[in-house]
Amino acid sequence: QRKHGMYKTNFYAVWSMMKQRVVNQDNPSFKNYGGRGIKICDRWLDFLNFKEDMYQSYLQFKKGHPNKRIYIERVDNDSGYSPENCRWATVKEQALNRTSTRLVTFNNKTMCAADWARELGLTPTGLSNRLDQWPIERALTPKLP
């Protein structure tokens, strides 16, 4: 086995967790990844190749997000882990890329429904109910005092 000196780093943990979600049927997240056909490109099954492809972009992203845990995310959630489909993200950025996240665009501004709710002084559930029942102009009216 080759040594890389990164076993205890967040970068290595990201790779290891990514691999476990995709290949280990006993992993609790397998059903949402490997179980639904998400794969890792053959090159990334070897950590040193993953490091060669992603470590510099990881360091660059980390510079702009000091003191935050960084995760790998797939740009297209239905495609696998590969250099062309992966980028770095914070927890908040990852939440915006979930299939369940409701993005709302109004007046050329797009935000997730939870952020719109916070901005308008509403609960996320309250805003969701408004969006389901009312025209968007009315739904995005701030909460009346």
Side-chain angles (χ1 to χ4, degrees):
Q1 186 173 4
R2 295 184 280 181
K3 303 258 184 207
H4 48 70
M6 297 192 74
Y7 181 72
K8 293 184 179 183
T9 66
N10 181 60
F11 183 79
Y12 182 84
V14 165
W15 174 79
S16 179
M17 289 185 292
M18 170 187 68
K19 191 173 172 186
Q20 288 299 308
R21 289 189 298 266
V22 172
V23 302
N24 181 358
Q25 293 182 17
D26 294 329
N27 185 289
S29 296
F30 178 81
K31 69 180 187 296
N32 297 319
Y33 293 86
R36 69 178 191 93
I38 301 301
K39 300 195 179 322
I40 297 174
C41 67
D42 290 342
R43 179 172 164 73
W44 282 9
L45 293 172
D46 181 316
F47 173 73
L48 292 177
N49 291 333
F50 176 73
K51 180 182 175 195
E52 184 178 315
D53 292 346
M54 298 299 288
Y55 193 57
Q56 287 308 312
S57 62
Y58 170 83
L59 293 175
Q60 193 64 34
F61 188 86
K62 193 155 181 62
K63 258 190 221 176
H65 301 84
N67 306 318
K68 291 200 176 170
R69 189 97 189 237
I70 295 174
Y71 301 89
I72 194 163
E73 77 170 359
R74 288 167 292 119
V75 176
D76 175 356
N77 280 327
D78 293 323
S79 295
Y81 290 96
S82 65
E84 28 314 307
N85 192 45
C86 288
R87 63 184 172 207
W88 299 105
T90 63
V91 171
K92 185 171 183 174
E93 289 167 336
Q94 270 198 315
L96 294 174
N97 196 28
R98 288 197 177 114
T99 54
S100 61
T101 299
R102 187 174 190 175
L103 294 176
V104 179
T105 302
F106 181 63
N107 288 340
N108 295 320
K109 183 177 183 181
T110 301
M111 294 193 299
C112 68
D115 286 345
W116 276 111
R118 198 171 8 268
E119 188 171 290
L120 298 169
L122 302 167
T123 65
T125 302
L127 177 59
S128 185
N129 290 339
R130 284 179 168 208
L131 289 166
D132 291 342
Q133 298 170 25
W134 298 345
I136 195 164
E137 296 81 9
R138 184 173 176 206
L140 294 180
T141 300
K143 185 177 177 181
L144 300 173

